[in-house]
Amino acid sequence: MSVANPNSQGLSSTTLVPNAVTPVCAVKKKKMAVKSKKEKEHLNLLLGSHLTTIHETLQVLDQTPPSSSSAKVTWDDVIKMAEQVSKQATTVGMLWTGEKPDAKAVEENMASYFNTLQGFLLLSHGSTVGAGPTLSSAVHASVKQVVDSSFRLMKETVSLYGYHSKDLKISVPQLVGAVWEACSALKKTPSTNITAIGRGMTQVAVSVKDVLREMKELKPVSCDDQVDEAAGESCAEAASEPHDDNSSEGDLGNDLSPEEMKVAERAIEVVSNTLSFIKILIHSIIGLLKLEKPNDNSSFVNSLEKLLQLCHELGRQIDEIGACLYPPQEIPAINAALEKIHSIIDAVQVEVGELLGASDVFLEPCNDLRSSLRQLASELSNSSTADIEARVENITLNQ
């Protein structure tokens, strides 16, 4: 009688189990991968649909200014809706930084987020009833930050569906934080035309102040720096010599002759008085805050917008004067800027008169600025005469 090997059946069983299990696991993983891929494709389609809806909403709102007869939405209501967007972003962060999210949960979260964002856009648009171009632009810029940060958050999370890594737990909170910041920034967005116009004028004032600071850094040419004592050269002779290539590049061409320095000093007075002029204008405009009506988009807002345009033009002329002071000074360009500033002052006074009536408070800075303009024009005339005389003398000496 033959005896069966007791290990033969066990050995074959042991060796066959792994071979039997491995294909099953591979098939299961493959099915899960196919399912995950289909779910991701579905989520991408849904995301594309939501993004398109928001884009179309923005286009319609941009092309359809709110009617002045419509009820104006308060900015506080817009901020409250933005807080809801922030909460939705928080929910997204919680969903994606935990365990792998379920496709159905992602889909529902996406729909809720974009519905809230849509409501935010509609309320924001309603807040621009009676808004002029400056206020509308400020609101649009703030709203765009919320929309852009929301798009980045949703695109990134959907693109990472099916993956679970440490990078996900780092990137998602950062994107959520960007949405929070954009929503929080709405609290600093101007909610009235006067506030928006005032901020625009303040930016001009800051620019003018920078020009004034740069002007005060101009200095007269130093005779001691130019004289070559060994050769016994005069200051005038040394000035004609080329500069040392190793000298500081920032100092080249900034030193002014005595005549140019006089022009610069008068120009500094003009810029200083211009800064005072703009500050008084801002103060006068902010004082009208209680007079602004929620649905007012008539002559009141138009006058404010025109004043801001004039203020911007004034800032450009000050920039021009500042640039022309460096040697060789451009006298014709400075004179042209002075003429334009005279016209700007006249136009500003007309608009302020219509808004405030006769105002002695505003008249004084106008007169001070005009006086400094005349003094600079006189100095430019003297400088031009001195320049001509110097050229004639130079020609005579060379003959």
Side-chain angles (χ1 to χ4, degrees), residues 130 293 295-304:
K293 300 175 183 178
N295 292 8
D296 193 353
N297 194 25
S298 58
S299 59
F300 180 80
V301 176
N302 293 335
S303 290
L304 291 175

Side-chain angles (χ1 to χ4, degrees), residues 30 61 67 73 82 103 133 141 268 276 279 302 325 328 356 370:
K30 187 174 182 181
L61 295 181
S67 172
V73 176
I268 288 173
S276 298
K279 287 180 178 179
N302 293 335
L325 287 179
L356 303 174
R370 285 195 179 97

